[in-house]
């Protein structure tokens, strides 16, 4: 018979006792109150990563052209159709107000400035977020749940540089170009309704515009469109890269991306408008 193996005595614990198992404390779950702050930080981190990746090689030109054409094709016609009634409503409302104040000669300038500075960038951004942004979010989300993005990272390919950067740049360029189209169509719609419906004169409409408008008004409109396109692309890409719950989570992420983009757009528009009115003085002041 073999001799029994010696039993090793239990080692003393750190508190001096022998044979007591060490205590392991479970980490505390993150507070739900801080969840929005964490999501906001991750969103800003993705925006900074995309900004840095724009200047890195190789640039995905083919992907950029394909996304540019897709976003433009789904937003050009709706933007033109929406801008006509939008410009008409502004022209009718401003015309009614100026008639009450006895300043009908300034109807054209006031309505055109409202279309160019406020309505045009918001229309473009809302359409890009609703049409192009939702498609970007759904595409990236489906790739994520199929683990294509994980496979790209294993192969050493950055999903941000390969997929996100071309899409964000496409939304920015389309927003800038569509802003010019919406401004022109909205101005023509306002001109038609002011001259035809409210019996205004074409000369007074154009002269009031030249008396009140200035070139920085067009600059701030294009800057707004550029920033709004960037925000729409970043939010759509972020929600697409972080879906929850499989295919149903992708649909929820699309809805969330559109809602979050709308909220950010109105807040950023308020900030940009306040800064612009403080920096650039009104014409003739």
């Amino acid at each position: 018979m073999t001799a029994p193996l010696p039993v090793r005595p239990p080692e003393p614990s750190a508190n001096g006792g022998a044979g007591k198992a060490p205590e392991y404390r479970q980490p505390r779950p993150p507070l739900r109150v801080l969840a929005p702050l964490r999501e906001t930080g991750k969103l800003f981190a993705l925006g900074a990563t995309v900004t840095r990746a724009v200047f890195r090689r190789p640039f995905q030109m083919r992907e950029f052209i394909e996304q540019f054409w897709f976003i433009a094709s789904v937003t050009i016609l709706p933007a033109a159709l929406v801008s006509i009634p939008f410009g008409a409503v502004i022209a009718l409302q401003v015309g009614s107000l100026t008639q009450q104040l006895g300043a009908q000669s300034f109807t054209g300038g006031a309505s055109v400035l409202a279309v160019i500075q406020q309505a045009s960038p918001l229309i473009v951004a809302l359409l890009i977020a609703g049409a192009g942004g939702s498609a970007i979010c759904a595409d990236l989300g489906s790739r994520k749940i199929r683990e294509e993005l994980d496979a790209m990272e294993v192969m050493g390919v950055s999903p941000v540089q390969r997929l996100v950067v071309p899409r964000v740049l496409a939304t920015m360029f389309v927003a800038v170009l569509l802003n010019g189209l919406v401004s022109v169509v909205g101005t023509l719609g306002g001109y038609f309704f002011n001259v035809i419906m409210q019996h205004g004169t074409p000369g007074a409409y154009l002269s009031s515009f030249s008396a009140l408008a200035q070139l920085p008004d067009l600059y701030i409109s294009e800057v707004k469109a550029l920033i709004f396109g960037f925000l729409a692309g970043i939010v759509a890409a972020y929600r697409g890269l972080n879906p929850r719950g499989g295919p149903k989570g992708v649909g929820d992420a699309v809805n969330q991306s559109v809602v979050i983009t709308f909220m950010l757009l109105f807040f950023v528009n308020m900030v940009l408008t306040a800064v612009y009115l403080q920096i650039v003085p009104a014409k003739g002041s």
Side-chain angles (χ1 to χ4, degrees), residues 37-107:
L37 295 179
R38 286 192 295 270
E39 295 294 327
T40 304
K42 293 178 182 178
L43 180 63
F44 276 93
L46 179 61
T49 303
V50 170
T51 304
R52 292 194 303 267
V54 169
F55 304 99
R56 294 178 183 173
R57 297 183 180 181
F59 180 73
Q60 305 297 328
M61 181 59 69
R62 180 177 179 180
E63 187 78 16
F64 168 74
I65 294 175
E66 291 178 355
Q67 295 299 320
F68 180 89
W69 174 251
F70 169 74
I71 297 175
S73 63
V74 298
T75 53
I76 286 179
L77 184 59
L81 295 178
V82 170
S83 60
I84 295 176
F86 220 101
V89 168
I90 292 177
L92 293 175
Q93 187 65 41
V94 172
S96 176
L97 181 62
T98 53
Q99 286 181 1
Q100 296 177 10
L101 298 177
Q104 295 90 340
S105 59
F106 294 101
T107 301

Side-chain angles (χ1 to χ4, degrees), residues 29-217:
L31 297 177
R32 293 185 178 181
V33 181
L34 301 179
L37 295 179
R38 286 192 295 270
E39 295 294 327
T40 304
K42 293 178 182 178
L43 180 63
F44 276 93
L46 179 61
T49 303
V50 170
T51 304
R52 292 194 303 267
V54 169
F55 304 99
R56 294 178 183 173
R57 297 183 180 181
F59 180 73
Q60 305 297 328
M61 181 59 69
R62 180 177 179 180
E63 187 78 16
F64 168 74
I65 294 175
E66 291 178 355
Q67 295 299 320
F68 180 89
W69 174 251
F70 169 74
I71 297 175
S73 63
V74 298
T75 53
I76 286 179
L77 184 59
L81 295 178
V82 170
S83 60
I84 295 176
F86 220 101
V89 168
I90 292 177
L92 293 175
Q93 187 65 41
V94 172
S96 176
L97 181 62
T98 53
Q99 286 181 1
Q100 296 177 10
L101 298 177
Q104 295 90 340
S105 59
F106 294 101
T107 301
S111 60
V112 171
L113 286 179
V115 170
I116 293 178
Q117 287 190 14
Q118 304 297 329
S120 179
L122 286 177
I123 291 174
V124 170
L126 295 179
L127 288 174
I128 287 181
S134 59
I136 291 173
C137 183
D139 180 32
L140 295 177
S142 61
R143 292 172 184 262
K144 180 66 176 180
I145 65 175
R146 292 197 304 264
E147 298 182 353
E148 293 184 14
L149 303 183
D150 298 333
M152 293 176 63
E153 293 180 353
V154 170
M155 292 186 294
V157 179
S158 173
V160 174
Q161 187 174 7
R162 177 65 177 81
L163 300 175
V164 177
V165 171
R167 285 163 171 77
V168 173
L169 290 179
T171 57
M172 294 171 63
F173 278 92
V174 172
V176 171
L177 296 179
L178 275 184
N179 184 61
L181 174 65
V182 173
S183 298
V184 172
V185 177
T187 301
L188 293 178
Y191 173 85
F192 175 80
F193 279 89
N194 178 258
V195 174
I196 303 300
M197 303 293 294
Q198 296 179 327
H199 307 288
T201 58
Y205 191 93
L206 298 177
S207 62
S208 63
F209 172 68
S210 61
L212 296 178
Q214 52 186 341
L215 201 55
D217 298 328

Side-chain angles (χ1 to χ4, degrees), residues 238-264:
Y238 174 75
R239 295 305 304 140
L241 294 175
N242 300 277
R244 299 187 182 93
K248 183 180 181 300
V250 176
D252 295 338
V254 172
N255 297 331
Q256 292 172 5
S257 69
V258 176
V259 174
I260 294 172
T261 303
F262 285 6
M263 295 174 62
L264 284 177

